[in-house]
Amino acid sequence: MTDVVRMTSMSWRERRQAWPRWVGYATLGWAVVYGGFGLGAVLSGTPVFYRGDDPGPVELGWLLVGLGALATLAATLTRARALLWAACALSAVCAFGLLMDVITLMVNQEVDSGAGFAKNALGGIGAVLLAATATATATARAGDARPATGTRPQPSPASRDVHLAAYAGTAAFVPYAAMKVTWVVGGTFAGVSGEEMLAKAEENGASGLWLTLASWGLDATALLAALGVFLLFGLIRPWGQVFPRWTLVLGGRRVPRWLPLTPALIGAATLLPHGVLGTGYCALATVGAVRVRSGDFPSSADALLVSWIGLVAFAVYGIALTVAARSYWLRTRPS
């Protein structure tokens, strides 16, 4: 209680620097909210887990209740670092699909499922809080409960190996972007013309923003891929640590670590498993072990070709983003 009273009298900067003291309380509050959200979903019969467009069993909401209870226990105990990391991993799994929800929200101004989006968003917040609490616990056990307030290192580029990973992640998006641009300019790929793709987008409820961009010869997902590459190189180059001159009033200022790391971690946690698992499924389909539905394409072979292009891009980029985010984290740690 004394810590709570002391924190209420701190300035914003003091609270930010003293995060190891209050993050445990924030994690505890999140755990209660998350468990309550899962319980409410079960009692109201609302599914929160989806497989594509198909809702999963409502009873899976009990997983959120159990995770909330586990996180509450881990945040309450003083030496529960292993439990905190276990809950963090489970929370990250429950946040799977958050990036896709954000992209859908940006492009279509709506999400497929409000409950599913809330589950993903809360899972992402919980993963961050649990990781921070585990880190603070480790610091306290080391005999230094004070936050690290040392100076950040000078801006530096990532190693050559990390650069190579970033180049690979960028190259993986080239076939994906070429496929999308082919459709948006009216060409034909995998047996489907640009007009047919546009008609399918309208039929599936694409937003006015999506259709407007398409009328300008721009594909929204290709633009997002370009932003992803921009983020990737911001993580490995010095300008990702200090705002460059072309940012005008921000030029020369330090980039907050959370600014690039937050989208990087969300993207890696979503795209990496989605791409890797999807690529494995494509491999099984290629050898005939499983069958791919044709969907909007003339044949299963056409659908498989498009799946290969998209999922390989996600997998390679997800790996590159993970490597680059780790490098950025290590290179920007305060001394």
Side-chain angles (χ1 to χ4, degrees), residues 231 235 258-270 317-318 321-322 324-325:
L231 170 63
L235 292 168
W258 60 265
L259 186 60
L261 284 174
T262 299
L265 294 175
I266 293 175
T270 301
Y317 177 80
L321 194 60
T322 302

Side-chain angles (χ1 to χ4, degrees), residues 179 183 189-191 282 286 292 297 299-312:
M179 176 182 68
W183 280 326
F189 184 82
C282 288
T286 300
V292 175
F297 298 93
S299 67
S300 296
D302 293 319
L304 181 59
L305 173 61
V306 173
S307 298
W308 267 117
I309 293 174
L311 293 170
V312 167

Side-chain angles (χ1 to χ4, degrees), residues 77-132:
L77 299 177
T78 57
R79 295 181 179 273
R81 190 167 176 239
L83 281 180
L84 287 168
W85 282 118
C88 175
L90 292 173
S91 186
V93 171
C94 289
F96 180 78
L98 177 58
L99 180 61
M100 299 302 179
D101 285 339
V102 173
I103 292 174
T104 303
L105 184 62
M106 291 172 58
V107 176
N108 293 341
Q109 285 80 60
E110 61 180 4
V111 293
D112 297 330
S113 167
F117 175 67
K119 184 265 296 179
N120 292 338
L122 286 172
I125 294 172
V128 173
L129 289 174
L130 288 161

Side-chain angles (χ1 to χ4, degrees), residues 9-323:
S9 62
M10 291 180 177
S11 65
W12 165 248
R13 182 175 182 180
E14 290 173 333
R15 291 179 187 177
R16 180 172 58 84
Q17 293 178 343
W19 66 266
R21 299 176 184 171
W22 57 258
V23 71
Y25 297 105
T27 302
L28 184 60
W30 167 85
V32 173
V33 171
Y34 200 55
F37 171 76
L39 181 61
V42 173
L43 295 179
S44 64
T46 304
V48 292
F49 286 92
Y50 281 78
R51 181 185 178 185
D53 296 330
D54 301 326
V58 174
E59 291 75 16
L60 289 177
W62 287 111
L63 295 176
L64 306 187
V65 179
L67 177 55
L70 176 63
T72 300
L73 178 64
T76 303
L77 299 177
T78 57
R79 295 181 179 273
R81 190 167 176 239
L83 281 180
L84 287 168
W85 282 118
C88 175
L90 292 173
S91 186
V93 171
C94 289
F96 180 78
L98 177 58
L99 180 61
M100 299 302 179
D101 285 339
V102 173
I103 292 174
T104 303
L105 184 62
M106 291 172 58
V107 176
N108 293 341
Q109 285 80 60
E110 61 180 4
V111 293
D112 297 330
S113 167
F117 175 67
K119 184 265 296 179
N120 292 338
L122 286 172
I125 294 172
V128 173
L129 289 174
L130 288 161
T133 304
T135 303
T137 301
T139 302
R141 291 182 62 182
D144 183 8
R146 295 173 298 173
T149 57
T151 58
R152 286 174 57 177
Q154 290 297 316
S156 62
S159 67
R160 179 176 178 272
D161 291 341
V162 177
H163 272 78
L164 291 176
Y167 296 148
T170 302
F173 267 135
V174 172
Y176 178 82
M179 176 182 68
K180 290 289 188 174
V181 171
T182 298
W183 280 326
V184 82
V185 298
T188 299
F189 184 82
V192 178
S193 66
E195 293 182 356
E196 292 173 323
M197 289 298 294
L198 183 60
K200 284 292 183 182
E202 293 179 355
E203 180 182 337
N204 294 332
S207 69
L209 175 61
W210 181 291
L211 299 176
T212 300
L213 290 174
S215 68
W216 294 345
L218 299 173
D219 181 80
T221 55
L223 293 177
L224 290 172
L227 288 176
V229 171
F230 177 81
L231 170 63
L232 187 59
F233 278 85
L235 292 168
I236 66 173
R237 299 302 302 164
W239 57 263
Q241 301 170 46
V242 176
F243 287 107
R245 293 179 179 178
W246 53 264
T247 56
L248 302 179
V249 295
L250 295 176
R253 296 175 180 268
R254 284 280 189 173
V255 176
R257 296 179 75 208
W258 60 265
L259 186 60
L261 284 174
T262 299
L265 294 175
I266 293 175
T270 301
L271 294 179
L272 180 57
H274 182 71
V276 171
L277 294 176
T279 301
Y281 188 86
C282 288
L284 293 175
T286 300
V287 299
V290 296
R291 180 176 175 80
V292 175
R293 292 181 297 179
S294 59
D296 297 332
F297 298 93
S299 67
S300 296
D302 293 319
L304 181 59
L305 173 61
V306 173
S307 298
W308 267 117
I309 293 174
L311 293 170
V312 167
F314 292 161
V316 178
Y317 177 80
I319 294 172
L321 194 60
T322 302
V323 172

